[in-house]
Amino acid sequence: MSHHHTDSVETQSPAKDRFEQLLEFAPDAVLGVGRTGLIDLVNSQVEQIFGYSRDELIGQRIEKLIPERLHDLHESHRSGYFANPRMRSMGAGLELHARRKDGSEFPCEISLSSIETDDGRVALAAVRDVTERHQAEDQFRQLLEFAPDAVLGVGQAGLIELVNSQVEQIFGYERDELIGERIEKLIPERFHPVHEGHRAGYFSNPRTRSMGAGLELHARRKDGSEFPCEISLSSIPTDEGRVALAAVRDVTERHQAEEELRQTSEQLARSNADLEQFAYVASHDLSEPLRTVTGFVQLLADRHAASLDDEAREFIAFATGGTARMQELLDGLLAYSRAGMMEQTPGAVDCAHTVERVLAGLTSSITEAGAEILVGDLPVVVADPTQLELLFQFLLATGLKFRGSEAARIEVSAERTPAGYVFSIADHGIGIEPQYREQIFKMFTRLHSRDAYSGIGAGLAICRQIAIRNGGRIWVDETPGGGSTFRFELRSSP
Amino acid sequence: MRQPAQYGRAVRVLLVEDNPADVRLLREALADGETDIELRVAIDGEQAIDILQASTLDPHTRPDLVLLDLNLPRKTGSEVLAEVKADPTLRRIPVIVLSGSGADHDVLQAYDLHANAYVQKPRDLPGLRRLVVEIERFWLGHALLPI
């Protein structure tokens, strides 16, 4: 195709006519500029994006469409182009600006080409207004900066095209040290061959997914250190082809936390199991020699009491009392370990019925204590029914036992919480001093002499076991006006 | 005619128990009992099996009742129980497990192995005396034995 240059429309050749018609179809604004820098040719897109009519441009210096500050630079580039007029984009890597008729500017991309005409070489400039694209890109960048993760954009060739500031933070590189570099720079060397293969694979099916699902991934910082990470992959199409986006999350802390949690719960489970096993075995194995001592002391008393003096009989009484006490302690230990080892068969438990049954069982203690027991509305919860009954029984018995000098008054109630229900068993008895309120849930903790209150200090420890085993917790507060309020929380679902 | 007393002889009881103190206490309790009992003691599981097998050759030594502890050296009470109940010549002999353990696991296992009763050892002498009397009354009074 040849181009015949003329200022006059009437003399325009059919070839040029066709050429200009063709230009009208181009999506971009296209300008033809002669060696002297005068505009020779424009299509209607030029009129649209610059706001000039064709007549206002033809024969004018091309610099009319360029911000003034760039005129000198442009003139020299223009002469330079004619010296080597190959097809290329203008100002590769630079941000170009054009000026509209109203003086406003817009960012643009310009492709250059040239054609030979009768009047010499004409440069063709295809100008594309990239305002919108720049805005979109800016938004995209801002969005990336907002992302909590380090985000990298990687082209098909494996070069880093885009990073956000989180990348700089977690990898220790400056942005400039990464753009244009191979992505493998951020990956431990031993994974390079594998990664290169996977990278190529990703571009053949660039769907959104996580990288290496189920595998532990590692990334490498500038200082050569590594960190475990999770990576999500996605991709976006760009003018330069598809770009893979990798969102990298440093999971070092989470891994540490998980590991610590795992170790702690393992230790806890082990020590709990050990303790329960110990308590169980101990109480059984200790029972045997105790039975022997008990039996023979009794035999001694039976057979030989008559031939013994008062002191000897007193000694026997102490020994018998000691063995009885030991047996109580072992029973407590056994009950405690059973509460910890008991199989859980959780079901829906109507606490109103449970408490009713417990109170029926405690009738004689209640009568003896002259007790008044008020039971509020109680919910249905999910728990092991036998253990829950035991829990209510222990706590009510505790309230009755430590009633003090007055007749016992105990209120049983429940309150909805976000997690489930908190039950309260409030007495107006002797109360528990604040410094003992945690200690009393430990095995064999007693706050009173045996003369004042019998027992071995196992009940509340067993209550605590039961609460924990049913996914809850137990504690004690002071009842307003004096006394203790035992509370335990149970979750509403297992 | 299903009780030894009706044949005019002592009841033969085999006690399998390794703890001499428990043996002694049981002897004491039996001595205070109401029945004429001929007590043999095996102090471990193997000895118990030996005595029982030998008794199949001489019916006059065959125990009428076995009292079996579980925690035994050489062969555990459970193993003895399993062997006795698997042996056609021995399995009819009533075996009462007499153990210190009250654990569900032990109780269930004993009955799975066809124990005839499971009793936890009483913790004191009065308890043991009561147990002996109860056993005598039920097993040697009411129950008809395979003799």
Side-chain angles (χ1 to χ4, degrees):
Chain A
M1 190 187 309
S2 77
H3 175 74
H4 180 78
H5 173 245
T6 170
D7 288 339
S8 140
V9 173
E10 304 92 79
T11 58
Q12 193 160 297
S13 73
K16 180 170 180 184
D17 202 25
R18 277 202 303 282
F19 179 65
E20 289 189 356
Q21 275 176 10
L22 206 61
L23 282 187
E24 289 304 317
F25 278 111
D28 297 326
V30 180
L31 293 143
V33 178
R35 194 177 285 274
T36 54
L38 300 182
I39 300 170
D40 193 43
L41 170 76
V42 300
N43 63 3
S44 58
Q45 284 79 339
V46 171
E47 295 178 297
Q48 272 173 33
I49 74 170
F50 284 92
Y52 288 105
S53 72
R54 183 182 301 249
D55 295 343
E56 290 174 298
L57 291 175
I58 297 293
Q60 298 291 314
R61 282 161 49 80
I62 180 66
E63 277 76 19
K64 188 170 184 170
L65 301 178
I66 295 169
E68 235 173 69
R69 64 181 187 282
L70 302 171
H71 283 187
D72 288 351
L73 194 63
H74 187 263
E75 278 166 41
S76 68
H77 280 314
R78 176 153 56 74
S79 336
Y81 183 71
F82 279 100
N84 177 21
R86 61 189 175 81
M87 193 185 290
R88 62 177 174 86
S89 63
M90 189 191 285
L94 295 179
E95 188 153 293
L96 303 176
H97 286 89
R99 187 176 65 179
R100 297 191 190 90
K101 186 178 178 182
D102 64 10
S104 64
E105 294 183 15
F106 62 91
C108 60
E109 275 179 3
I110 301 176
S111 301
L112 293 175
S113 183
S114 73
I115 49 173
E116 198 59 40
T117 70
D118 295 348
D119 302 326
R121 190 160 282 276
V122 170
L124 290 177
V127 181
R128 180 175 295 176
D129 182 344
V130 293
T131 307
E132 280 181 22
R133 208 183 69 204
H134 273 208
Q135 281 171 352
E137 281 174 7
D138 281 351
Q139 281 170 356
F140 179 64
R141 284 211 179 79
Q142 282 174 11
L143 211 61
L144 281 191
E145 291 302 322
F146 270 120
D149 298 325
V151 179
L152 293 145
V154 179
Q156 298 223 20
L159 303 183
I160 299 170
E161 294 184 5
L162 151 89
V163 302
N164 64 1
S165 56
Q166 285 80 337
V167 170
E168 297 178 292
Q169 275 172 29
I170 75 170
F171 285 94
Y173 284 106
E174 300 286 321
R175 196 172 295 246
D176 297 346
E177 295 176 288
L178 292 174
I179 299 292
E181 293 290 321
R182 283 164 48 82
I183 181 65
E184 278 77 20
K185 190 170 182 171
L186 302 178
I187 297 169
E189 231 163 283
R190 62 186 183 282
F191 297 126
H192 284 188
V194 174
H195 188 264
E196 282 164 31
H198 285 314
R199 173 156 56 74
Y202 183 71
F203 280 102
S204 66
N205 177 23
R207 66 195 168 80
T208 298
R209 61 176 174 85
S210 60
M211 188 190 287
L215 295 180
E216 186 152 294
L217 303 175
H218 286 89
R220 187 176 62 179
R221 298 192 190 88
K222 186 178 182 181
D223 64 11
S225 63
E226 295 182 13
F227 61 91
C229 58
E230 277 179 1
I231 300 177
S232 302
L233 293 175
S234 185
S235 75
I236 45 167
T238 69
D239 294 347
E240 287 83 33
R242 197 160 272 278
V243 169
L245 292 177
V248 182
R249 181 173 296 178
D250 183 344
V251 294
T252 308
E253 282 181 23
R254 208 187 65 203
H255 273 206
Q256 279 170 356
E258 280 171 1
E259 180 58 19
E260 277 169 29
L261 191 67
R262 197 186 58 75
Q263 283 183 2
T264 310
S265 57
E266 211 172 71
Q267 275 171 8
L268 198 66
R270 212 172 30 233
S271 62
N272 272 349
D274 284 354
L275 189 72
E276 283 154 13
Q277 187 63 29
F278 165 79
Y280 191 72
V281 168
S283 54
H284 273 108
D285 291 356
L286 296 181
S287 285
E288 191 179 311
L290 183 62
R291 225 171 33 237
T292 305
V293 176
T294 309
F296 282 96
V297 170
Q298 285 169 341
L299 205 54
L300 190 63
D302 278 12
R303 293 271 170 85
H304 303 284
S307 59
L308 296 173
D309 61 13
D310 284 350
E311 193 180 42
R313 278 195 291 274
E314 191 190 4
F315 292 173
I316 288 176
F318 279 127
T320 307
T323 55
R325 181 75 184 162
M326 185 72 183
Q327 191 61 60
E328 270 185 86
L329 293 171
L330 290 180
D331 287 346
L333 205 55
L334 192 59
Y336 176 75
S337 66
R338 272 194 185 145
M341 294 199 291
M342 236 186 289
E343 295 231 350
Q344 300 291 114
T345 40
V349 185
D350 183 342
C351 296
H353 286 167
T354 302
V355 169
E356 215 172 280
R357 244 195 332 272
V358 168
L359 292 177
L362 290 170
T363 307
S364 63
S365 313
I366 292 170
T367 313
E368 187 201 331
E372 181 190 4
I373 297 182
L374 303 168
V375 182
D377 283 341
L378 297 179
V380 174
V381 294
V382 176
D384 181 291
T386 315
Q387 292 176 28
L388 192 60
E389 188 168 332
L390 206 57
L391 185 53
F392 276 115
Q393 188 195 311
F394 270 121
L395 293 177
L396 282 163
T398 301
L400 292 169
K401 180 171 168 184
F402 296 98
R403 63 184 176 273
S405 52
E406 292 171 34
R409 190 156 52 84
I410 300 174
E411 289 119 36
V412 183
S413 60
E415 215 176 297
R416 192 95 177 86
T417 64
Y421 289 95
V422 169
F423 293 82
S424 300
I425 289 98
D427 65 44
H428 300 270
I430 62 172
I432 297 163
E433 290 168 83
Q435 67 267 33
Y436 298 121
R437 286 182 194 159
E438 281 189 25
Q439 199 182 319
I440 51 161
F441 292 102
K442 288 184 184 151
M443 193 62 186
F444 297 143
T445 300
R446 296 165 39 83
L447 301 180
H448 307 282
S449 75
R450 263 191 264 163
D451 293 343
Y453 292 99
S454 64
I456 56 165
L460 291 175
I462 292 170
C463 289
R464 184 169 165 274
Q465 278 284 29
I466 292 175
I468 291 171
R469 291 276 292 180
N470 285 277
R473 61 201 182 98
I474 189 168
W475 68 101
V476 66
D477 295 324
E478 188 169 357
T479 307
S484 302
T485 300
F486 287 93
R487 299 186 204 278
F488 62 91
E489 182 172 37
L490 291 180
R491 290 188 300 224
S492 43
S493 57
Chain B
M1 301 296 276
R2 290 274 179 216
Q3 284 295 341
Q6 290 162 326
Y7 294 93
R9 65 166 172 88
V11 181
R12 292 189 288 267
V13 173
L14 173 63
L15 172 64
V16 190
E17 172 63 70
D18 67 314
N19 179 356
D22 277 358
V23 172
R24 178 63 196 266
L25 286 173
L26 192 76
R27 273 191 197 283
E28 294 295 336
L30 287 174
D32 297 340
E34 302 163 345
T35 313
D36 182 15
I37 286 176
E38 181 188 312
L39 190 69
R40 280 195 80 177
V41 178
I43 59 165
D44 64 46
E46 280 183 9
Q47 211 179 72
I49 292 293
D50 289 347
I51 290 172
L52 285 164
Q53 278 172 352
S55 77
T56 59
L57 305 173
D58 179 3
H60 297 295
T61 61
R62 188 175 183 272
D64 299 307
L65 193 67
V66 176
L67 298 176
L68 178 66
D69 186 20
L70 289 181
N71 188 12
L72 294 171
R74 298 168 79 89
K75 194 170 262 182
T76 68
S78 302
E79 288 168 329
V80 172
L81 183 59
E83 285 187 37
V84 168
K85 294 303 182 185
D87 185 335
T89 62
L90 297 174
R91 67 165 159 237
R92 286 177 180 157
I93 303 175
V95 177
I96 300 174
V97 172
L98 188 56
S99 166
S101 167
D104 291 352
H105 164 81
D106 289 329
V107 177
L108 297 177
Q109 193 195 29
Y111 283 111
D112 285 345
L113 295 173
H114 307 292
N116 297 82
Y118 188 108
V119 179
Q120 194 173 5
K121 287 181 183 171
R123 359 181 99 162
D124 54 18
L125 193 59
L128 189 60
R129 286 182 171 134
R130 279 197 300 276
L131 176 64
V132 165
V133 171
E134 302 291 351
I135 287 176
E136 285 174 346
R137 286 187 186 158
F138 180 78
W139 286 100
L140 309 176
H142 298 294
L144 300 181
L145 297 181
I147 52 177

